[in-house]
Amino acid sequence: VTTFGRDNPLLRYDLEEACALVREPCPCGETTVRGLWGGRFADLLTSQARHFQPAELEAALREVEAVTVPSLEWVVVRPRDPAAPLRVRVELAGGDARAVARQCEAAVRNELGIEAQIEIVARDALPRSGFKAQRIVDR
């Protein structure tokens, strides 16, 4: 990890993270080089010819209020067939599971441009972690 330039910007390397240096002036008026981090390459998902990070999937799911109360809990099944719909399990505390699944599928379609199969599971059905949430599972 190296720092450089004004205000101690940070450049990470050899950590398998997706990042970019932006040299264009920011709309806010900032003119220095900025670094943007997009997540780890190991977490990169591919489905239906689209590459995205789990954080992008989470942002789409957050559009559906029913799954965010009391907290958004979800996992994605790592795609084996890159053309198949993305399989996502989402916890729901209560309500019409079919309607919420359709809302989640529409949110993923709108935000990521891919089809998803949303499986609604009961609250506390997904494993919890004491540190970093495990968002990608293999089955």
Side-chain angles (χ1 to χ4, degrees):
V1 178
T2 304
T3 60
F4 65 96
R6 188 171 141 208
D7 296 326
N8 294 323
L10 180 68
L11 174 65
R12 292 176 165 209
Y13 60 93
D14 203 19
L15 297 176
E16 297 183 6
E17 288 200 14
C19 62
L21 291 178
V22 180
R23 299 181 192 289
E24 295 83 29
C26 179
C28 72
E30 180 63 53
T31 59
T32 60
V33 175
R34 297 176 320 279
L36 304 174
W37 283 263
R40 294 192 179 269
F41 281 113
D43 293 338
L44 189 67
L45 295 167
T46 302
S47 180
Q48 301 156 52
R50 172 86 165 78
H51 305 286
F52 55 93
Q53 289 288 335
E56 294 176 86
L57 177 59
E58 181 167 327
L61 294 173
R62 286 197 179 281
E63 297 293 319
V64 181
E65 187 176 348
V67 297
T68 62
V69 177
S71 65
L72 177 59
E73 300 296 336
W74 61 277
V75 295
V76 63
V77 178
R78 186 178 300 280
R80 290 188 183 173
D81 177 5
L86 191 67
R87 291 180 41 217
V88 184
R89 296 181 187 120
V90 181
E91 287 187 358
L92 180 64
D96 183 352
R98 284 187 187 170
V100 171
R102 284 192 300 271
Q103 290 174 346
C104 290
E105 289 167 357
V108 171
R109 189 179 314 108
N110 291 338
E111 295 294 318
L112 297 177
I114 63 171
E115 295 300 318
Q117 292 177 341
I118 304 295
E119 178 186 348
I120 300 296
V121 297
R123 189 76 186 155
D124 295 322
L126 297 176
R128 301 293 196 273
S129 174
F131 179 60
K132 183 179 177 185
Q134 179 78 25
R135 296 294 186 202
I136 304 171
V137 297
D138 290 319
R139 54 181 174 82

